[in-house]
Amino acid sequence: MASVDLEKLRMTGAGRSIAVLTSGGDAQGMNAAVRAVTRMGIYVGAKVYLIYEGYQGLVDGGDNIKLANWLSISNIIQLGGTIIGSARCKAFTTREGRLSAAYNLVQRGITNLCVCGGDGSLTGANIFRTEWSGLLAELVEAGKITEALSQQYTHLNIVGLVGSIDNDFCGTDMTIGADSALHRIMEVIDAITTTAQSHQRTFVLEVMGRHCGYLALVSALASGADWLFIPESPAADGWEDRMCERLGETRSKGSRLNTVIMAEGAIDRHGKPISSNYVKELVVKRLGFDTRVTVLGHVQRGGTPSAFDRVLSSKMGMEAVLALLEATPETPACVVSLSGNHAVRLPLMECVQMTKEVQKAMNELRFDEAIQLRGKSFENNWNTYKLLAHQKPSQSKSNFSLAILNVGAPAAGMNAAVRSAVRVGLAQGHKVYTVNDGFEGLARGAVNEIYWRDVGGWTGQGGSLLGTKRTRPKTCLDKIVENIRKYNIQALLVIGGFEAYEGVLQLVEARGHYDELCIVMCVIPATISNNVPGTDLSLGSDTAVNAAMESCDKIKQSASGTKRRVFIVETMGGFCGYLATTAGIAVGADAAYIFEEPFNIHDLKANVEHLTDKMKTDIQRGLVLRNEKCHHHYTTEFIHNLYSAEGKGVFDCRMNVLGHLQQGGSPTPFDRNYGTKLGVKAVLWITDKLKETYRQGRVFADAPETACMVGMRRKVLSFNPVTELKEHTDFEHRMPKEQWWLNLRPMLKMLAKYPTNFNEYVTGEIEHVTRRSLSIETGF
């Protein structure tokens, strides 16, 4: 990965002009992208123009193309839709329309264009780029521009940002808006679930996705839906009988509701559309269940962007400007994309071509190929859904037993992980126990056998239904060993934060004294602080960032219309600054103080002066985040008092401590999905290890690789021995020694207009999109 010093970048854009437009269907997060492109462009010394009403504004020109300044896009990061408007434009599909567009750009000296839209919008941009020299020649011939002007602007650079709630663009993990659309869908499903249970109803929910089943698939996985229709994998002939049998069976086992989720483009094996009303009438006719249809429609496009979409769009917007600055006439038009948690640049037409290949495969009824072309992550989601949706009797009993427990503070997504782990364990033929109240419960024998239907409906519930405690095993080791022996437990799945990691480490280190601890152990990282080694993301951290972001949005809004005000907000996270940093980017904070980046009184003074200067302009409110343990002496109260004193006469100051609201609430779609997948992967790994270590009638697992932390690095899942992670851990401050998200810090500061020294900013590299790259990638 190339690294650049952002200070050296300053003024490299001098004399350049960049324009940004949003096109096609709107998507939450587009405003964050427009903001990032504008501010990064101004930061590097370029002129930045906003093009209103998409390609239509580009064709019409005039007041639709406006020069932007730093304040033009202030306070828009939290808004849904796009403030510069979007329109589907027929004129741009004609040569005459593109001729007008070229004229309007040349008149303003614009030769760099950033387009945020779907594959149609990006394809149009590429056509425009390839025709550019011909269009200028035509304008010269018609006498509209001079030959000198045409020679000055010989080449048009294009960069694409994919804005589409359907997540239907090949080569990128997530498109702008997809995560927010999932938030809207899950809010509706959670609301419908309560009314469906009250009346014992069946609900058929239709979500967007005319040609792509991503939204339907992930929302079905995250809600535990009974049946799913997606265009990439239509149900085989006779699906009506199987679906009604499945729904009836679910009810007969005690469930009070059924949920059927379908993409609007649902079809059967022969390509014939299946409507939500047809499914409803089928259920009523065959089963006599009270059934309702809910079509979500444009609700999915609306509302505020999720934290993920805000951070993603900001990262992509910055990267787009760098890509434009580095572009030459020889480099292909690229699209800025996400791979794991890193930005990458992909050749635009390679992505468009692969996206068209998916549609072609579906049109030709080659459905297995369509799923593979969607990428490994989509395929994994589909296989996981099929594994968990319906109870399949295990072929044989395995004679292995597994215990699942939660340790440490509660984190959203824990229950989703327990549900999937229980169900996969049962499907593998194991006896599965759950333990109440963590290691303390294991010591006192709070162990219960659990069955498939016991965990129904757990996915969407926050907190820990099993109960959790921070107690470490060393305080009650003898009793834990006694109960492991009593219940013949051969594997432990521990879901929790730093305490869970430390706890399993203590058990592994005690193996020399107790044979009973020579069992297979696995830790699923679950903590809002995201401070566990061996993984980029912990379960629950996405929900916590969204909770902090929503609170900060409301805090900022509370000051609108009043005098100038700065808010000092304290977040949780222990010594780890992940929550403060990510929430800071998502809400457009002016500063975020964290332990990992030491600061002194001079830094605080510079921040106060910076805010004072901003408040003398049209800006009316400021937001400063502080991680709870970022500094022993510079407490939240101290910083509040300092800002109050120094800002006197310019702004007043308020202090807020977010506290435990960051731990509560329903899990986000990401945490439900992530927890579900981690539970599946962990139990499949445990099963393999149980078979490997089964000798002479018992499990004897004493090797380091039989006690692991399951973690995600970029987007690859790996199992790392807890003993090996010790050297990567700062035990005093309870966090990993190296943390990937520190790369986001320069972005936070740049977008807040800090004239500060930046260290290294990691830029995206060019990657290629082929059938092979889509199939071998272990996407998550």
Side-chain angles (χ1 to χ4, degrees), residues 104 188 265 300 358 424 461 479 626 644 671 684 716 743 746 766:
N104 290 326
V188 170
Q300 294 156 90
V358 183
V424 174
Q461 299 203 46
K479 288 182 178 174
R626 179 191 175 274
S644 296
D671 277 331
L684 293 177
V716 179
N743 290 332
I766 281 280

Side-chain angles (χ1 to χ4, degrees), residues 593 599-613 634 638 642-643 646 754:
Y593 298 117
F599 58 96
N600 57 32
I601 195 69
H602 301 296
D603 299 315
L604 290 171
K605 184 170 178 285
N607 291 158
V608 175
E609 287 167 359
H610 173 72
L611 255 177
T612 307
D613 290 343
Y634 300 147
F638 175 90
L642 178 72
Y643 273 72
E646 296 297 317
Y754 273 96

